[in-house]
């Protein structure tokens, strides 16, 4: 018996990665793929994985990586940014530091492990960013609904996550699935359906890892 897609409710197909003993579910309509809950890691293991990340504002290559994202996925679609939020800011909030230093934009930060105060409560923003976060989320609809609620009328949501290969063999060889904390995988089609479900307008993608949304 198949289970319904977490995003659109349509039929799914189950498939396996024999070598790594992984079970996946793929939606036949919106292309969303997720790891079976039986192989999800717990919070302590997830934190241990994050602790191996070594991102720093002193890493010029990483800073350029973030600036490429901001300059392609956020700044072209916004007016004056007075208030921003980086959701899932990580152990060192490099994106918010870069936004302040290089663009003069102040960003609130939230991270479930490193900046746990939900500063975004009862607030809205000109820009919400979430970089390399949504692949960790078990319930994308819940979080995209939250992101929508945090946008001002002319606000923009900018998301970075690597889109999965649509070929099954390439997917099973894809390095991204080997990170045990990566449990949800998207394509531009997935992002389009997500936006429809929560009432956002999907306005930009580079068909590789960037997605931009605004209120309908």
């Amino acid at each position: 018996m198949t289970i319904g897609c977490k995003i659109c409710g349509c039929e799914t197909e189950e498939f396996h990665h024999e070598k790594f003993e992984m079970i996946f579910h793929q939606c036949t309509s919106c292309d969303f793929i997720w790891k079976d809950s039986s192989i999800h890691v717990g919070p302590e293991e997830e934190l241990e994985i994050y602790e191996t990340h070594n991102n720093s504002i002193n890493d010029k290559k990483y800073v350029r990586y973030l600036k490429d994202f901001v300059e392609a996925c956020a700044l072209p679609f916004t007016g004056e940014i007075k208030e921003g939020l980086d959701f899932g800011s990580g152990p060192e909030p490099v994106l918010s530091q870069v936004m302040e230093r290089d663009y003069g934009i102040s960003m609130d930060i939230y991270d479930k492990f490193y900046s746990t105060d939900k500063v975004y409560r009862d607030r809205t923003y000109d820009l919400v960013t979430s970089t390399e976060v949504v692949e960790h989320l078990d319930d994308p609809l819940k979080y995209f609904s939250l992101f929508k609620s945090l946008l001002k009328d002319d606000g923009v949501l900018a998301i970075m996550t690597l889109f999965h290969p649509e070929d099954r063999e390439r997917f099973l060889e894809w390095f991204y699935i080997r990170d045990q904390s990566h449990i949800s995988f998207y394509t531009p089609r997935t992002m389009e359906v997500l936006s429809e479900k929560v009432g956002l307008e999907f306005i930009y993608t580079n068909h590789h890892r960037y997605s931009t949304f605004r209120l309908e």
Side-chain angles (χ1 to χ4, degrees):
M1 179 179 178
T2 61
I3 59 177
C5 176
K6 292 182 177 184
I7 291 175
C8 69
C10 292
E11 291 185 359
T12 62
E13 297 176 347
E14 181 178 303
F15 64 98
H16 297 241
H17 195 304
E18 302 297 341
K19 180 178 178 181
F20 296 113
E21 298 182 342
M22 294 177 180
I23 305 168
F24 297 94
H25 305 276
Q26 179 169 13
C27 180
T28 58
S29 178
C30 75
D31 297 333
F32 182 53
I33 298 178
W34 70 97
K35 287 180 181 175
D36 191 81
S37 59
S38 65
I39 56 173
H40 290 186
V41 297
E44 291 184 2
E45 293 170 286
E46 188 177 8
L47 179 58
E48 286 179 6
I49 294 169
Y50 295 160
E51 290 288 284
T52 66
H53 297 175
N54 190 29
N55 299 326
S56 166
I57 198 167
N58 297 316
D59 183 338
K60 292 182 180 180
K61 185 176 180 181
Y62 184 64
V63 168
R64 184 68 260 171
Y65 172 73
L66 292 178
K67 292 183 72 171
D68 286 346
F69 163 69
V70 169
E71 291 170 4
C73 202
L75 298 183
F77 306 100
T78 59
E80 182 182 4
I81 303 174
K82 296 180 179 178
E83 299 175 293
L85 170 71
D86 186 29
F87 189 96
S89 52
E92 184 177 341
V94 181
L95 179 61
S96 66
Q97 294 171 7
V98 168
M99 294 294 278
E100 174 70 33
R101 185 191 70 183
D102 296 344
Y103 303 100
I105 298 169
S106 178
M107 301 281 285
D108 283 349
I109 60 173
Y110 169 76
D111 190 279
K112 74 173 185 176
F113 290 116
Y114 300 102
S115 300
T116 58
D117 182 19
K118 294 181 178 180
V119 293
Y120 55 78
R121 281 179 173 159
D122 302 317
R123 299 200 63 188
T124 53
Y125 297 91
D126 303 300
L127 173 65
V128 176
T129 59
S130 192
T131 61
E132 299 177 335
V133 171
V134 297
E135 63 269 21
H136 302 277
L137 302 180
D138 184 43
D139 189 352
L141 272 178
K142 171 186 172 182
Y143 285 94
F144 273 76
S145 294
L146 172 62
F147 297 152
K148 177 190 175 183
S149 75
L150 298 176
L151 293 177
K152 293 183 178 179
D153 288 345
D154 56 352
V156 164
L157 168 65
I159 299 287
M160 183 200 294
T161 187
L162 194 59
F163 294 142
H164 73 71
E166 296 186 46
D167 177 79
R168 183 70 56 83
E169 287 189 15
R170 288 178 58 216
F171 179 86
L172 291 172
E173 295 172 353
W174 191 34
F175 76 97
Y176 214 56
I177 65 174
R178 299 181 190 180
D179 185 323
Q180 290 180 292
S181 65
H182 290 180
I183 59 176
S184 293
F185 310 99
Y186 310 76
T187 67
R189 168 64 180 160
T190 318
M191 292 301 186
E192 181 180 8
V193 173
L194 259 171
S195 66
E196 292 170 356
K197 288 292 183 180
V198 302
L200 288 167
E201 183 183 0
F202 184 30
I203 59 174
Y204 170 75
T205 180
N206 69 345
H207 299 279
H208 181 52
R209 64 169 84 234
Y210 300 165
S211 300
T212 308
F213 308 82
R214 64 184 171 204
L215 296 180
E216 287 185 322

